[in-house]
Amino acid sequence: MNIADGGGTPYPEFRLRLPGGGPEARGRLLTEKGTNGSQKFVVLAGSPARPEVVPSFPIRMPSSHRLRQRLIDEGIITDSATWPGWLETAEDVECNSPSAAAEILVGRSANGWLEWKSAEGHPLSDYLDQVWWGPNRAWLVRGSNVSGLDLVRRLWLPEGVVTLQARHLRQDIDQGVSKDRLRAAVEEDYASTATYNQKVQLVEELHMFLSRMRPGDTMCTISGGRLHVGKITGEVERIPSEDGRADLRRPVDWAEQGHAYEDLPETLQQKLSAQHDVVDLTMVKDLIDGLGISDEDLIEEAEATAGDPSVEIPALAARRELELPDPTDDLAEELLVHDTAWLREVRDLLWDERQLVLYGPPGTGKTYLALKLAEFLGGGPEQVKLVQFHPSYAYEDFFEGFRPQEDPQTREVAFRLTAGPLRELADLSSREGNRHIPHFLIIDEINRANLAKVFGELYFLLEYRNKSVRLTYSGDDFALPPNLFVIGTMNTADRSIALVDAAMRRRFAFVELSSRTEPTSGLLRRWLAKEGRAAEPADLLDALNARIDDTDFRIGPSYLMKKGVYRDGGLERTWRTKILPLLEEHHYGEGVDVEKRYGLTVLRESLG
């Protein structure tokens, strides 16, 4: 049946099914607007209400909680004679919005624009013009410094609104405007008052505020070091402002308590650090929804909402902690590491710093150890990507840049923005469902490239993981995901190590793999014992390294950890073709007879 509201516009009667297969409430939408700017909604007399509320209700929706409690105290919501165990409205109840009407009945946060449905099952939002489709989103609008004033404290929180300056925008631009029409209007209206880049950004921000936000969306803002969260409860209003500070306005039901910025999850801090006045926070909406609420309250709220305890709770899933598993004795045995405690220390360094470099002479197993450790900590090779730096490696190769690509249909070649290995791995690790899984980027020979050139603005992010930066090519706001770890390997015999500056050293933890210290010094001996071979190669290697004064040129054990070394003549062949040439290069121009000093015959004689 259709019920005409006070303005004569017909709306159907809307119904709301209470949680757990409970009875149905009934109500109707009015064209008259409430104090917060939303269309009012009337809950009809005789509608059932849930007898209890979820624990988070007073925190998340304080105004609806107060209204419900007042109605109970006044006997307007009372024990139901029709549905034993439920409450019931004794008379019609006029609410400021469909969401408030739903919340006083179900005792939890609710999106009335979607939860109130017609008899045919269509949501209330279908009957309103210019409402953005799809699931609810989350937004950040900045207001702590608008023309030198903190509008958040002076206006937004006290009056329950959020505003956006649109001083020069023509009056006929309304809610639901297309981006193309808005772009043309901004280009003309701000022709002499804004730069090209300012106009591009203004179009994006105005379009989000006018056409993408909708009732039920989450709204965030920052003031005084605290994040304030609320729900949009109505449509856009155009409020003329002489000083140009508050031209566009939306009603918002703000929670009473804010959240300390330094206590927010790192992923949320990254998104909040984007330098725009309006930011889409939908990617971290689940984190926002769970702020200030315990796991137990989230579970109880989900059960009250869905009635099915097996349904995954998005806010709870978003909280899943990132963990690096503890190295085991089995891993130490597999890697032939002398002590599991050494592996735990490396794991702890990664956890604290997020970036680590394994450095040492050639043949000390740096790359092998980095790969195996990353696969163990990440849960498999799928979470590990390896790149190798070289002198011509650049930012465009490593992160993103324009590269020639052929169109498969026209066969024409054009330059297109292409992601590099770091951007690909960052996108993978930040996907929903992946954020609690460690991902690793292995950079082999990290000191062979011009690091400042390769990393560019990413150098900043290596140190400030809770921040984001504007990217050079795409212009996107980018942050390194908290679950992305970097392990580099560095050959100390390569004199390009001098290119590693103090900035690089400050951003990475450094772990030495050298023949003079464990786990490298005894690695070959442990490997030979595991393979059931004689210890002579380990004795020869120790004798060889004892004769090399420069520790960066001592020979690593991996040269002698290959099956070919132990075929007939293999040791002699490896010594002649692999090890002695390295030492020839080391002593180039010094007149040293390498064979007489480092040859197998000489070393065997020295061992008796």
Side-chain angles (χ1 to χ4, degrees):
M1 108 178 153
N2 284 344
I3 296 178
D5 67 315
T9 303
Y11 288 111
E13 180 180 281
F14 293 104
R15 303 174 183 182
L16 176 70
R17 175 71 64 182
L18 266 62
E24 260 188 349
R26 299 181 302 117
R28 59 190 178 95
L29 182 66
L30 307 179
T31 55
E32 180 188 355
K33 292 188 177 180
T35 56
N36 61 0
S38 171
Q39 282 182 250
K40 288 185 176 181
F41 192 94
V42 173
V43 178
L44 299 180
S47 291
R50 190 163 171 258
E52 66 279 329
V53 300
V54 299
S56 62
F57 187 44
I59 301 171
R60 300 180 71 171
M61 305 309 300
S63 59
S64 294
H65 177 260
R66 286 193 298 267
L67 174 59
R68 173 186 163 98
Q69 193 58 49
R70 179 174 64 81
L71 293 171
I72 292 174
D73 293 342
E74 294 176 358
I76 298 173
I77 294 181
T78 185
D79 291 337
S80 174
T82 309
W83 302 284
W86 296 84
L87 301 179
E88 183 178 340
T89 55
E91 58 186 68
D92 288 357
V93 178
E94 187 176 277
C95 301
N96 272 333
S97 69
S99 292
E103 287 164 353
I104 65 171
L105 299 179
V106 298
R108 58 167 172 81
S109 175
N111 184 354
W113 308 92
L114 298 180
E115 296 193 34
W116 286 105
K117 293 181 171 63
S118 65
E120 294 79 21
H122 302 303
L124 183 151
S125 60
D126 285 2
Y127 297 86
L128 302 177
D129 295 332
Q130 300 174 336
V131 174
W132 187 265
W133 290 86
N136 283 111
R137 307 181 73 84
W139 307 92
L140 167 71
V141 179
R142 299 189 186 279
S144 61
N145 185 13
V146 180
S147 300
L149 294 179
D150 186 346
L151 293 184
V152 177
R153 295 185 179 183
R154 292 177 59 125
L155 176 67
W156 295 6
L157 299 181
E159 297 191 16
V161 296
V162 61
T163 62
L164 186 66
Q165 182 175 328
R167 183 175 185 178
H168 301 288
L169 190 65
R170 61 191 64 179
Q171 293 295 321
D172 64 347
I173 297 297
D174 298 318
Q175 178 172 295
V177 64
S178 70
K179 187 180 286 189
D180 185 62
R181 182 171 168 234
L182 183 60
R183 186 180 294 111
V186 168
E187 187 65 37
E188 183 176 339
D189 297 348
Y190 289 81
S192 60
T193 59
T195 66
Y196 171 79
N197 287 333
Q198 288 172 335
K199 285 183 283 188
V200 169
Q201 189 58 40
L202 188 59
V203 169
E204 293 296 325
E205 293 173 352
L206 287 171
H207 186 254
M208 284 189 279
F209 199 91
L210 284 164
S211 300
R212 297 190 62 192
M213 294 181 188
R214 65 171 183 173
D217 282 1
T218 299
M219 178 58 63
C220 300
T221 192
I222 302 171
S223 176
R226 299 186 73 80
L227 175 70
H228 298 276
V229 182
K231 291 285 185 184
I232 298 176
T233 58
E235 300 175 352
V236 175
E237 292 181 290
R238 191 70 178 266
I239 307 296
S241 172
E242 292 182 3
D243 58 12
R245 290 193 180 104
D247 291 335
L248 299 177
R249 175 180 300 203
R250 279 184 178 272
V252 175
D253 188 3
W254 294 104
E256 292 181 345
Q257 300 296 324
H259 307 276
Y261 188 90
E262 62 269 18
D263 295 336
L264 300 176
E266 186 177 66
T267 305
L268 179 54
Q269 289 186 22
Q270 290 176 340
K271 296 296 289 185
L272 293 173
S273 69
Q275 296 303 303
H276 306 294
D277 288 338
V278 183
V279 180
D280 188 342
L281 297 179
T282 305
M283 180 181 288
V284 290
K285 181 177 182 297
D286 293 338
L287 286 173
I288 298 170
D289 289 343
L291 290 176
I293 306 172
S294 68
D295 291 355
E296 294 75 15
D297 285 358
L298 285 174
I299 293 170
E300 184 172 341
E301 180 173 336
E303 290 176 351
T305 304
D308 182 0
S310 66
V311 175
E312 184 177 50
I313 306 165
L316 204 56
R319 282 185 183 177
R320 280 185 287 189
E321 292 288 337
L322 171 67
E323 293 182 355
L324 290 181
D326 255 349
T328 62
D329 292 341
D330 289 341
L331 178 66
E333 184 177 347
E334 178 189 351
L335 299 179
L336 298 174
V337 170
H338 65 296
D339 189 353
T340 309
W342 185 87
L343 288 174
R344 291 197 185 101
E345 182 179 76
V346 174
R347 178 255 183 215
D348 292 343
L349 284 171
L350 268 173
W351 181 254
D352 293 337
E353 303 294 334
R354 311 286 177 89
Q355 295 94 224
L356 180 143
V357 168
L358 301 176
Y359 71 98
T364 48
K366 299 179 293 294
T367 304
Y368 176 83
L369 180 62
L371 283 169
K372 288 296 184 181
L373 188 59
E375 289 176 7
F376 173 82
L377 296 175
E382 301 84 6
Q383 281 71 250
V384 181
K385 182 183 285 287
L386 184 142
V387 297
Q388 187 172 52
F389 280 5
H390 50 78
S392 62
Y393 209 70
Y395 175 92
E396 292 77 9
D397 305 305
F398 184 51
F399 190 72
E400 68 177 11
F402 288 96
R403 300 178 193 170
Q405 291 187 359
E406 184 181 66
D407 189 302
Q409 295 181 340
T410 64
R411 313 297 289 181
E412 294 181 352
V413 176
F415 282 89
R416 292 182 173 84
L417 188 62
T418 306
L422 177 56
R423 183 70 193 262
E424 289 177 344
L425 189 60
D427 291 345
L428 175 65
S429 58
S430 61
R431 283 182 192 169
E432 194 171 356
N434 280 358
R435 296 173 195 163
H436 66 290
I437 300 174
H439 289 69
F440 289 83
L441 179 67
I442 309 297
I443 305 177
D444 202 26
E445 305 288 1
I446 192 171
N447 55 313
R448 286 186 176 273
N450 183 331
L451 296 177
K453 179 181 177 182
V454 172
F455 279 97
E457 68 270 20
L458 304 178
Y459 241 173
F460 172 81
L461 296 181
L462 290 173
E463 186 169 10
Y464 297 97
R465 284 295 193 106
N466 63 339
K467 302 290 185 182
S468 63
V469 296
R470 178 73 64 86
L471 295 176
T472 302
Y473 287 98
S474 65
D476 295 339
D477 289 301
F478 176 80
L480 285 173
N483 59 330
L484 177 56
F485 298 85
V486 180
I487 302 178
T489 69
M490 182 181 294
N491 183 356
T492 54
D494 184 349
R495 294 312 181 188
S496 60
I497 189 173
L499 298 176
V500 180
D501 58 15
M504 168 77 172
R505 296 184 184 278
R506 190 173 68 250
R507 287 162 170 79
F508 285 78
F510 284 76
V511 175
E512 183 181 16
L513 292 180
S514 168
S515 57
R516 62 184 175 181
T517 59
E518 287 285 18
T520 308
S521 60
L523 180 60
L524 178 57
R525 202 171 298 278
R526 290 189 291 272
W527 183 82
L528 291 169
K530 181 180 178 183
E531 295 291 315
R533 301 184 184 278
E536 185 200 25
D539 296 334
L540 290 169
L541 184 64
D542 289 344
L544 171 68
N545 284 326
R547 297 183 176 210
I548 302 173
D549 297 328
D550 190 336
T551 56
D552 287 336
F553 280 88
R554 289 179 178 173
I555 305 301
S558 64
Y559 290 101
L560 303 179
M561 293 172 64
K562 300 175 182 177
K563 292 183 179 179
V565 176
Y566 301 95
R567 293 197 294 265
D568 286 345
L571 180 60
E572 288 74 11
R573 185 166 52 251
T574 299
W575 213 270
R576 185 179 69 253
T577 62
K578 296 282 189 179
I579 294 175
L580 292 183
L582 281 175
L583 297 170
E584 286 276 8
E585 181 181 354
H586 174 47
H587 290 292
Y588 181 76
E590 296 179 6
V592 175
D593 189 328
V594 171
E595 179 65 41
K596 287 186 177 181
R597 185 169 179 177
Y598 303 116
L600 271 181
T601 303
V602 174
L603 294 175
R604 279 174 171 152
E605 288 176 356
S606 70
L607 293 173

